Amino acid sequence: MDHQILLELYNRYHRELYLYLYSLCQSHPLAEDLLQETFLKAILSLGDHHPNMRAWLYLVARNLCLNSLKKAGRAVSMEQAEPPPDFSSQDDPLNRFIQDERKKALFEAMKHLEPRKREILIMQYWSQMTQKEIAAVLQITPENVRVLAFRAKKELKHSMEVNGYDLS
């Protein structure tokens, strides 16, 4: 793979891939290691003209994470997880507080989703992936992605409303 293409891929996707990996493994050091391993695999085996490099990176990252968790003999548990680091910068303390509270409530609600639904929403909203890209990563149909995303959003909305957040 061309060095310039790899550098461009890294600059474009490293943050979102890190957050995705962290959402799966709930460990900052492991997510960082897996991110580096994902890009190492890209150096070794990804061609310069792959039709969807982003989906390929997500697929590799996901497989590396699941294999690592399987080897370690531990299940992915959102119950003990801390929210991932926030890469945005908001200077106003009130806005930061409001945003942090909303993110915390959303993060808590997402803990209760089944893993596949949670993963789809993370890819769809945090990584801005299309249903087709998500389907390629999860190896399911785009229609299945659409249905699972709809159900997950419905469950999240219910959970947020139960906890006093007005979403109308």
Side-chain angles (χ1 to χ4, degrees), residues 10 14 17-18 21 30-39:
Y10 184 82
H14 79 277
L17 271 171
Y18 170 81
L21 285 164
L30 182 57
E32 289 171 358
D33 289 347
L34 293 170
L35 179 66
Q36 297 309 314
E37 195 172 341
T38 299
F39 282 98

Side-chain angles (χ1 to χ4, degrees), residues 4 9 23 26 29 33 39 41 51 72 77 81 90 104-105 110-111 117 122 127-128 144-147 154:
Q4 188 60 34
L9 283 175
S23 74
Q26 303 305 311
D33 289 347
F39 282 98
K41 286 201 177 279
S77 172
Q90 298 170 333
K104 183 178 177 183
M110 286 186 73
K111 286 181 181 181
K117 289 178 183 175
I122 288 167
S127 300
Q128 304 294 308
N144 200 348
V145 170
R146 187 188 66 74
V147 169
K154 190 174 178 181

Side-chain angles (χ1 to χ4, degrees), residues 19-63:
L19 290 171
Y20 173 69
L21 285 164
Y22 177 79
S23 74
L24 295 177
C25 70
Q26 303 305 311
S27 165
H28 295 291
L30 182 57
E32 289 171 358
D33 289 347
L34 293 170
L35 179 66
Q36 297 309 314
E37 195 172 341
T38 299
F39 282 98
L40 177 62
K41 286 201 177 279
I43 290 170
L44 299 174
S45 60
L46 183 61
D48 291 349
H49 302 292
H50 191 277
N52 192 340
M53 291 185 183
R54 183 181 190 202
W56 185 90
L57 287 169
Y58 270 84
L59 181 61
V60 168
R62 181 177 192 269
N63 288 339

Side-chain angles (χ1 to χ4, degrees), residues 5-151:
I5 293 172
L6 181 65
L7 188 59
E8 185 180 320
L9 283 175
Y10 184 82
N11 288 334
R12 186 179 299 168
Y13 299 123
H14 79 277
R15 284 187 176 170
E16 69 181 67
L17 271 171
Y18 170 81
L19 290 171
Y20 173 69
L21 285 164
Y22 177 79
S23 74
L24 295 177
C25 70
Q26 303 305 311
S27 165
H28 295 291
L30 182 57
E32 289 171 358
D33 289 347
L34 293 170
L35 179 66
Q36 297 309 314
E37 195 172 341
T38 299
F39 282 98
L40 177 62
K41 286 201 177 279
I43 290 170
L44 299 174
S45 60
L46 183 61
D48 291 349
H49 302 292
H50 191 277
N52 192 340
M53 291 185 183
R54 183 181 190 202
W56 185 90
L57 287 169
Y58 270 84
L59 181 61
V60 168
R62 181 177 192 269
N63 288 339
L64 287 171
C65 185
L66 295 178
N67 289 341
S68 176
L69 293 173
K70 191 175 186 179
K71 283 180 188 174
R74 62 186 180 107
V76 178
S77 172
M78 287 289 285
E79 299 305 319
Q80 298 90 16
E82 297 175 15
D86 186 8
F87 291 115
S88 65
S89 62
Q90 298 170 333
D91 294 332
D92 181 23
L94 179 59
N95 282 341
R96 258 196 329 264
F97 176 76
I98 291 169
Q99 285 300 103
D100 288 347
E101 285 301 310
R102 286 183 183 152
K103 286 178 185 176
K104 183 178 177 183
L106 182 60
F107 184 76
E108 290 298 319
M110 286 186 73
K111 286 181 181 181
H112 303 290
L113 291 175
E114 66 181 66
R116 178 151 285 187
K117 289 178 183 175
R118 182 174 56 241
E119 193 173 358
I120 287 171
L121 291 184
I122 288 167
M123 284 189 274
Q124 192 172 38
Y125 291 105
W126 294 349
S127 300
Q128 304 294 308
M129 293 178 77
T130 66
Q131 289 179 352
K132 187 176 179 181
E133 289 174 317
I134 296 168
V137 171
L138 298 179
Q139 298 176 337
I140 59 177
T141 66
E143 179 62 19
N144 200 348
V145 170
R146 187 188 66 74
V147 169
L148 289 170
F150 175 80
R151 290 177 183 165

